[in-house]
Amino acid sequence: MTKDLPYAGRRPEDLAPDELAELLQFHDAAYFEDGRPVISDAQYDALVALLRARAPDHPQLQRVGAAPAVAHAGDKVVHERPMLSLDKCNEFSGFWSWLRGICADVLGRPNNPKSLPDEEVRSWAASAPEARLVATPKIDGLACSLRYGADGRLLLAATRGDGRIGEDVTANGRRVQGVPSVLRGHSGAEVEVRGEVYLSLSAFAAVADSYANPRNLAAGTLKAKDNPAIPPEQLAFYCYDLIGVPAGSEVEKLGQARLLGFEPVPFVELTADQAQKVFAEQDAGKQQWDFEADGLVLRLNELGLVQRLGATAHHPRGAIAWKFAVDAGTTTLVEVEWSVARTGIITPVAIVAPVLLSGATVTRATLHNVSTLRRHGLRKGDQVELVRRGGVIPHVERVLLPSDQPQELPPSACPSCGSATALAERLDDKTGESVAVLYCTKPDQCTAAKSRQLLHFCQTLELEGFGDKVLELLTERGLVSDAADLFTLQAGDLQTLPRFGETMVANLLAQVQKARRVPLAGFLTALGIPSLGKQTAQLLAGRGDLAAIRAMTVQEIAKFHSLGDKTAETIATGLVERKEFIDRLLAHLAITAEERHSQDGPLAGQVVLFTGALVVMKRSDAQKWVVAHGGLTGDTVTAETTLLVVGGDELEAAVPSSKLKKALKLRDQGRPIEILSEAEFFARYGAT
Ligand code: IVH
């Protein structure tokens, strides 16, 4: 900036309109051209207000208020109409007092809404045409304004910023799903479209270990100058407002948005007296939503009334956001506990000071793996935010206030057996992403790993009654050290245990009796060998008998159904390490003949997985169909999967499902996975 501040020594109140205009021009240049404003937004607004009071028709005001369709310089964009916020409430009472205010206005008693009896408001809410509302989820993303020119082309995408001035994000914005580059069948007028850019929870799931929450990732991605963290195509846009398109009601407006090529934010129409019921229903059903939402936005449907009610400097009067009770809480990290799984993998768990989360006291939260621990850089005494997102297990969302303690690190010795630990990179089953995991290097000598193994054995063979607590007790008393010991349990041993009544003992022994005959695939799975899950066990069982499987070399296993060297090595090692255990088990149980599935159908040798919505038949029938035609199937994409069948239009979708993502990744790694659409699959293998 070369120019000096004009009229530096004088008070704005003393300036003539033209002098004020010159001052405003100076500040515009400082803001837009130099990116170095010298006054605050509030001071700027005060200058504009002063000029408006002095000379309402001054051309400078035209320049500010009705700036050209796209007023922006550098990264900054002026919103022709400010992007306001929403009035908020947390309870029904807040919603009711908002509604009472509207009712009083409509009934011509705006000055004393409190004098309106509840009954009068209620009957108005149930029947007045003005009391019709539209409810939409309050999406937890970032507000975005899209401007389209008279030719229907996208000119600009901008963030909300401070409501008056946002940031130009056109380059990434035009790549967001649901942002058309050209409007469909529009009338030739300039149009501004407002809505929320968000990252769906399903897309977020794939990267959840590396980012705090979908909103921050969406914001970072949209605003990124280069190398966005994820492709902007994974973001999506829900439209909630149109400016420049005539409409009489909110519902009509959302319909117009659809016609122009936008996805309107999901909405429900209601009368105001139904709001409480609708709120409760939406709150209860929100787990099904594939986006984060922190409440409902309730807007008056009639736009004439909305217009008449106007806005405060902060929010329009015709709408209110009613927030859901949060599933989040703030607490203190007491310590990080390391929990040993049956495979020897050691998972960090956050032990926190008790905190109430959705009505339950929580003292533990999952940290998933070492990558998550590192990302948060946790320290004892940290103030942390716990969130229960979509599921039942709370997790640490973020550190609010770090303590000055040293950072928690993965232990070098197993907390259960003291053996050395080691770190490994592993593909996360759910997300297909690579994460760092800690494991005990001697799981076969580790008490914790062994007791979890025992639980796995009982769960796989469906031994009812042998849960966590019972097994813990049996282990503690030295009655059982591994699954083979279950078969030597006597009624006398069990009856001495606290609360083990006669019936319970009889039931437990009957369950053990049941496990004396097991199918080969179940037996193999129950061994708890890493990489030998249900699907692989099914495959190997097709090989014949246990002796034959135990005799297989690593190379033979690797070649079998292209299991691959790494899996084969783990399985072979697992079988050898458990030699004595297997022999002891075989002394107590018999392996029954495998239910052989047809091995000569068109799908013989194939392991087929399904993802997405199927049209030809429902998924469970499709899985039965695969087995009936000689193939194998399952629910998780693994290295053994040979074919992924993708239903719906997922193949074209910008956001692949986690199954598709994992299959693509495995294929990139050289696995022979074929990916077919449902139509291609059934056409090739001949279902009718
Ligand atoms: S209506 C005055 N509908 O919430 C703006 N807003 O606190 C009224 N938001 O920045 C917009 N979901 O971006 C509306 N279904 C929804 C919304 C929604 C999220 C955001 C909006 C605004 C913020 C206001």
Side-chain angles (χ1 to χ4, degrees), residues 315-630:
H315 60 258
R317 290 205 174 83
I320 189 161
W322 185 352
K323 305 289 272 291
F324 295 136
V326 270
D327 280 2
T330 301
T331 183
T332 310
L333 179 73
V334 176
E335 61 177 341
V336 173
E337 184 185 278
W338 293 87
S339 162
V340 188
R342 74 180 159 81
T343 49
I345 287 176
I346 309 175
T347 311
V349 179
I351 308 297
V352 295
V355 57
L356 206 62
L357 224 61
S358 351
T361 303
V362 171
T363 52
R364 302 164 69 82
T366 174
L367 287 166
H368 304 293
N369 50 49
V370 174
S371 297
T372 318
L373 177 86
R374 286 180 177 155
R375 177 159 54 78
H376 291 306
L378 289 179
R379 301 153 195 269
K380 280 181 191 155
D382 279 352
Q383 283 281 317
V384 291
E385 183 182 45
L386 296 196
V387 166
R388 195 174 267 191
R389 178 177 290 132
V392 284
I393 308 168
H395 70 268
V396 174
E397 175 80 359
R398 62 195 168 121
V399 174
L400 298 168
L401 189 65
S403 83
D404 52 8
Q405 298 290 306
Q407 265 192 21
E408 291 291 310
L409 297 173
S412 54
C414 169
S416 169
C417 67
S419 307
T421 61
L423 277 167
E425 287 292 316
R426 207 184 60 157
L427 274 191
D428 187 283
D429 264 356
K430 270 216 310 277
T431 66
E433 297 297 311
S434 181
V435 290
V437 294
L438 187 75
Y439 61 95
C440 168
T441 52
K442 300 247 167 62
D444 48 329
Q445 293 165 28
C446 175
T447 334
K450 281 172 77 173
S451 86
R452 302 272 146 72
Q453 281 267 18
L454 202 53
L455 186 64
H456 170 76
F457 184 91
C458 293
Q459 284 175 342
T460 308
L461 299 182
E462 296 173 5
L463 300 195
E464 284 160 28
F466 287 94
D468 231 347
K469 290 281 169 283
V470 168
L471 289 172
E472 227 168 68
L473 199 61
L474 294 177
T475 323
E476 259 172 40
R477 298 291 171 106
L479 289 170
V480 174
S481 113
D482 67 23
D485 296 335
L486 292 173
F487 296 95
T488 58
L489 281 175
Q490 301 292 319
D493 300 331
L494 296 174
Q495 271 153 6
T496 60
L497 299 173
R499 289 202 287 262
F500 276 51
E502 233 173 78
T503 322
M504 176 165 163
V505 169
N507 285 343
L508 289 175
L509 292 177
Q511 290 292 320
V512 173
Q513 209 50 34
K514 190 183 83 178
R516 288 186 191 273
R517 293 175 59 75
V518 290
L520 181 52
F523 179 82
L524 289 171
T525 315
L527 292 175
I529 296 173
S531 298
L532 186 48
K534 202 166 153 191
Q535 243 178 74
T536 313
Q538 244 183 19
L539 285 173
L540 282 177
R543 170 82 188 183
D545 57 43
L546 180 61
I549 294 167
R550 292 175 87 181
M552 282 169 91
T553 63
V554 174
Q555 287 71 26
E556 281 170 331
I557 300 178
K559 275 201 225 119
F560 198 71
H561 277 276
S562 338
L563 286 178
D565 292 342
K566 216 164 154 194
T567 307
E569 178 82 49
T570 319
I571 294 175
T573 314
L575 285 169
V576 171
E577 279 174 356
R578 286 165 182 73
K579 181 182 178 310
E580 195 235 352
F581 174 54
I582 295 172
D583 290 340
R584 284 200 305 121
L585 280 174
L586 290 176
H588 299 290
L589 57 76
I591 292 176
T592 57
E594 198 66 19
E595 277 175 34
R596 287 290 176 102
H597 63 271
S598 152
Q599 298 220 335
D600 45 7
L603 287 169
Q606 300 269 24
V607 180
V608 185
L609 264 283
F610 294 91
T611 179
L614 302 184
V615 177
V616 174
M617 57 180 89
K618 61 179 203 237
R619 180 168 311 181
S620 54
D621 290 339
Q623 290 180 326
K624 282 185 200 140
W625 190 88
V626 166
V627 175
H629 289 79

Side-chain angles (χ1 to χ4, degrees), residues 155-178:
L155 295 176
L156 178 84
T159 63
R160 174 172 182 266
D162 64 3
R164 187 171 74 91
I165 291 165
E167 204 176 301
D168 182 346
V169 290
T170 314
N172 291 338
R174 62 169 79 249
R175 294 170 60 187
V176 169
Q177 285 176 63

Side-chain angles (χ1 to χ4, degrees), residues 46-69:
L47 289 180
V48 173
L50 197 58
L51 179 57
R52 184 164 289 126
R54 297 275 166 76
D57 298 319
H58 197 285
Q60 174 65 26
L61 291 171
Q62 299 303 314
R63 231 168 287 155
V64 177

Side-chain angles (χ1 to χ4, degrees), residues 224-244:
K225 295 283 174 267
D226 41 39
N227 294 328
I230 54 169
E233 285 79 3
Q234 295 202 5
L235 305 177
F237 178 76
Y238 266 142
C239 166
Y240 54 63
D241 211 356
L242 279 186
I243 300 166

Side-chain angles (χ1 to χ4, degrees), residues 21-33:
E22 196 188 332
L23 187 57
L24 280 169
Q25 281 163 23
F26 168 87
H27 287 306
D28 282 346
Y31 196 105
F32 293 118
E33 285 157 37

